Structures are given as C-alpha cells and as structure tokens.
Amino acid sequence: MGVVIEREEWALTPLAYPLLSAAGLAAVLLLPYFSAARTPAHAAGPSSSPFDVGAGPFLRFRRAFLVLFSLASVVEGIQSVFGEDEFVRCGLGRDQMAARLAATAAAALFPGAISGIISDKIGPRRACLLYWVLQLAVGALKSFSALRCAWINNFILALASSVFTFCFETWLVVEHEKQDQKQDLLFDTFWMMTFSESVSLIGSQEITNVLVSNDGNGFLLPYAFAATLSVVGILYMRNASSTTQQASAIGSYQKSFFAHVLRDKRVLILVLAQASIHFAVSAFWFLWAPTIVADGRYAQLSVIYPCFLASRMLGSASFPWFYGATAPFRNEDSLTIAYVGAGLALYVVAYDYQEIGTLVILFCIFHACVGFIIPSLARLRTMYLPNELRGGMMSFSLSLANAAIFIFLLLGAHPRNIANSIILGLASCGLLGAGGCIHMLRRWRKHTRQNPRSL
C-alpha cells in the first residue's frame, strides 16, 4: 500500500498586489494636490502630473530618458529573472552555482571598480552606449544554446550591471546641468527612475513568461528579445546629442577624487551608505527564496516576487512627499528612518523564525525602504559630490559591496561555513550603521556644497 504525502500550499492573498500598486499610483497621482509648495517651483497647475513638469527641451529629454531607462531595466530584468532556474537548466549543482556567482562578484569587483572612472573620462553618453553594447553581447551569446552557460556571460553581465548603476544617472545629471534646470526637477526624475525601474522589472517577468516555453528553442527567445532592445538602445544613443563634460587628465582626476571623495567625510558616508544598501539587496536576492521555502510549505515564488517590486514602487513614490519645506521630517531624518526600517526588517528575518506570511510582509517593508533610499542617495550625491566624479564614487562604493559579496560566497555558499541568517544579520547591521552615519550628516548640513541654481 503506497503512502500519499499531501503537500501543504501557502497562497498569497489576491488583494496584496492590487493594493500595493494602487497605493503607489495614488502617491503619484495625488502628489500635485497635496503639495502646494511644489507647484511654484514647477511652474505648473495644481492638477498637473509630476511627469509633465519642466521646460520644453528638458521635458522632452526626460520623457525620452525615462523610456530608454525603462527599456534598460527590462533588459536587466530579463537577464536576471531566471536566476537559479537557469543554472539548473544548464545542469549545474549547488557548488557550481556558488562558483559562478563568486566569479560574477569578482568580475564586478575588479573591472567594475574602474568602470566608473572610465565613465567619468569618456562621458556619460558613451558609458550608456557601452552598457547597451555589453547587453547586446550577452543577449547574442545566450541566444545560442551552446553558449548559454559560458563563463564569459557572467563576466560581461556583471560588468554591464555595474555600469548600469551609474551611467544613466550621470547622463541625467549632466544633461540637467547643461540645460540649467531647477534641482526639484532633477530630484523628481530620480524617484521616477526607481519607480519606472520597478515597473519594468515586473514587465520583464511577464515578457519572459510569455516567451519561455518547455522546448529548448523557446527558452532562448527572451535573450533574443533583450538583444533586440539593446540594438534599439544603441541606435538611440548614437543619434542622441553629445553631452559635453569636462575631461581631465588622469593626474588631475586622481587629485580631485582624493580631495572630494576619500578626504571628504560626508562623501565617505554616502559611499558606505551606498555599499550597505547594495550588499543588503544582493544578500536578499540570494537568500529570500531559501528563507521562504524553509518554512516547509509550498509557495509560488513567482507570485510573491511582484509584491516586492510593487512595494519598491510605493517606496519610491513616497520620496517626493518627504523632502522640501513642507516635509514632516528633515531630509536626512527621513533617510535615516528608511535605513533603520530596512535594517530592522532583515534583523527580524535573520534571528527570529516567522511563517511565510510574516516573512513576505517584512520583505515588502524592506523593499519599500529600498525604494525610498535609492533616490534619496542620488539626491545627496548631487548636493555633496561634483558631477564629474559621480561615476568613480559610485563604482567605488559598489566595489566595497562586491568585495563583501565575493567573500561570503566563497566562505558561505561554497563550503557552507556561514549560515544564511548570519549573512542577513550582517546586512541588517550594515543598514543600521548606515542609518547612523546618515544621521551624522545633520551636523554638517551648513557645510553642504550648494548648487548655484535655486533649490
């Protein structure tokens, strides 16, 4: 007589994703009505959308920029949406997966560390063009089944992801400086970037679900689609107007980097804050699925994944409500609260067992805080850092995070000497420490590097 084992399944409430999406959209649509102080700065009517403010040339550029950035986010999502499933399809075991991920972190650590400096030297438009070329190479290679699991794909994709973190932001800031616009417009574009990136990542999951089939040929279609989008990006960047950015010699750039980054304690705080959030997000994406399935019940991870991104949308949409003269808290205070909230969410996950429902809520809180933190850090970089050093500073912070990721992958995932809870706990401590560092910026606010334009 056979024994039948019943599988207990945990189901996400159907209202979770619509409620999160509705809250994020409400935060965007209701902003002009409840933020009267922002209306004069934008020179727009009280019912105007935040997507339609600004002077004509910059408004046209921002619309085209957000579309191009959304396409880049779709390509990023397509390349990473499979994750462990792609390694399994390639026949790789746990140790081989850990080796691939460690190699990816190493690729982002060493070549990625100088990619920001190269971006500052060649200009943001060429850096964006380089990003599209790298994505085209990965998409073309993975479109062939014989090359899908090649090591070179991991290195190119890691370098492309490193360039993605700063090339579009730098291009936006340089174009904003060139057209001499108000800083409020730039700050709004920062949170719109995070908002549209989250929407695009959800869209990339839908695209891959449509293009993927059970046969071997169908599985390669998403990568061919990503390569096609990369061609569109390359064509647009080739036809885009060249943004002029002063190019300095290596020696003068090195002196400027030491003076404005390594010897400025305010910028070093931003470096550590950026590294901590990057490490925490990377640790989350490595460990969230094992953490949830450790409950013992079956859960549809593909249904839970969009809730995290919807929470990120909500966090980014709440950013414009918490800066400016009418904000309930000072700008650095709001960012400190977001860091503490993200750190506490991971701390509870790491050191206190919870059921799946509670884990999903904590992970949603974490992503809402991440959605608020990303544009807030971009805003602080604009205030404290010269634009010509933005790429080098961001790649430097990412190299610190990638070094920690590389070490934990070697010591934890491969020989399994470090528990997942310890990694999440260290990520939580990093976030809490970064929140304390951001709080210290209040003491130095009067020394802030002011932009010549009106805030």
Side-chain angles (χ1 to χ4, degrees):
M1 180 177 178
V3 178
V4 178
I5 301 177
E6 296 184 358
R7 183 181 64 175
E8 183 179 359
E9 181 175 352
W10 182 87
L12 181 69
T13 174
L15 296 177
Y17 181 60
L19 287 178
L20 288 172
S21 300
L25 292 176
V28 175
L29 298 178
L30 297 179
L31 177 63
Y33 297 93
F34 290 88
S35 186
R38 295 164 56 84
T39 302
H42 287 167
S47 61
S48 63
S49 170
F51 293 90
D52 297 327
V53 295
F58 185 74
L59 178 59
R60 290 191 296 270
F61 165 78
R62 186 169 68 168
R63 287 174 176 173
F65 171 83
L66 289 176
V67 171
L68 190 66
F69 181 76
S70 298
L71 294 180
S73 301
V74 170
V75 174
E76 283 284 309
I78 291 176
Q79 298 289 5
S80 60
V81 72
F82 294 110
E84 185 176 342
D85 181 67
E86 181 180 3
F87 290 137
V88 173
R89 288 174 181 260
C90 292
L92 302 180
R94 176 185 173 89
D95 293 341
Q96 292 174 314
M97 293 180 192
R100 289 293 182 95
L101 294 175
T104 301
L109 174 60
F110 297 107
I114 63 173
S115 60
I117 300 176
I118 296 176
S119 173
D120 291 335
K121 300 298 296 182
I122 66 177
R125 189 182 69 89
R126 294 180 179 177
C128 293
L129 183 61
L130 173 62
Y131 166 78
W132 287 114
V133 171
L134 293 174
Q135 286 290 4
L136 175 61
V138 176
L141 289 174
K142 287 190 174 184
S143 296
F144 298 95
S145 57
L147 301 175
R148 190 179 68 207
C149 301
W151 280 81
I152 188 63
N153 295 332
N154 299 92
F155 288 101
I156 299 178
L157 187 59
L159 182 58
S161 298
S162 298
V163 176
F164 174 76
T165 56
F166 57 80
C167 67
F168 286 97
E169 179 182 319
T170 306
W171 182 31
L172 170 66
V173 174
V174 170
E175 188 67 25
H176 176 269
E177 292 281 346
K178 179 182 177 182
Q179 299 193 19
D180 195 27
Q181 299 292 315
K182 297 263 185 198
Q183 276 197 343
D184 279 344
L185 298 176
L186 181 62
F187 297 159
D188 278 345
T189 312
F190 285 152
W191 72 261
M192 289 178 189
M193 289 173 62
T194 308
F195 187 89
S196 61
E197 181 184 7
S198 303
V199 176
S200 301
L201 291 177
I202 296 176
S204 66
Q205 185 189 31
E206 297 298 327
I207 291 173
T208 51
N209 289 337
V210 172
L211 296 179
V212 168
S213 61
N214 292 326
D215 58 359
N217 293 329
F219 181 69
L220 303 180
L221 288 178
Y223 300 120
F225 182 76
T228 303
L229 292 183
S230 300
V231 172
V232 174
I234 291 174
L235 294 177
Y236 180 85
M237 296 307 304
R238 284 177 59 88
N239 296 327
S241 59
S242 178
T243 52
T244 58
Q245 184 179 16
Q246 59 272 27
S248 58
I250 296 298
S252 60
Y253 182 89
Q254 182 180 4
K255 293 179 181 179
S256 181
F257 190 84
F258 272 96
H260 294 283
V261 177
L262 299 182
R263 295 178 182 175
D264 191 333
K265 54 187 177 182
R266 299 165 300 175
V267 178
L268 283 179
I269 284 178
L270 297 181
V271 169
L272 297 177
Q274 180 70 35
S276 67
I277 194 64
H278 180 73
F279 175 77
V281 171
S282 300
F284 168 83
W285 287 115
F286 285 147
L287 302 176
W288 77 273
T291 302
I292 289 181
V293 300
D295 182 270
R297 290 177 289 176
Y298 174 78
Q300 294 184 359
L301 300 180
S302 60
V303 177
I304 300 175
Y305 171 82
C307 286
F308 300 154
L309 297 179
S311 301
R312 195 167 177 238
M313 290 168 51
L314 177 59
S316 59
S318 65
F319 167 77
W321 295 77
F322 287 89
Y323 81 85
T326 60
F329 304 102
R330 292 183 181 269
N331 300 323
E332 287 81 1
D333 292 339
S334 300
L335 183 55
T336 300
I337 294 173
Y339 265 106
V340 172
L344 292 179
L346 290 187
Y347 182 84
V348 174
V349 173
Y351 294 110
D352 187 15
Y353 171 78
Q354 303 291 340
E355 66 169 8
I356 297 180
T358 306
L359 289 175
V360 172
I361 293 175
L362 291 172
F363 287 154
C364 287
I365 294 175
F366 170 76
H367 275 82
C369 295
V370 170
F372 185 87
I373 289 171
I374 292 176
S376 300
L377 289 179
R379 174 187 172 275
L380 290 179
R381 281 192 291 268
T382 304
M383 295 174 61
Y384 293 105
L385 185 70
N387 293 332
E388 59 272 14
L389 300 175
R390 184 179 295 260
M393 176 266 190
M394 294 183 68
S395 62
F396 175 58
S397 63
L398 291 179
S399 65
L400 297 179
N402 288 324
I405 295 171
F406 178 71
I407 293 174
F408 281 113
L409 283 173
L410 289 182
L411 299 181
H414 187 60
R416 307 182 189 182
N417 292 330
I418 301 178
N420 293 344
S421 60
I422 296 179
I423 299 177
L424 288 177
L426 291 176
S428 172
C429 293
L431 292 173
L432 294 175
C437 291
I438 293 296
H439 183 69
M440 294 174 59
L441 287 177
R442 290 189 57 185
R443 304 177 182 178
W444 308 317
R445 184 180 294 114
K446 63 180 180 180
H447 303 295
T448 300
R449 169 184 172 265
Q450 296 292 341
N451 196 285
R453 291 179 309 280
S454 172
L455 297 179

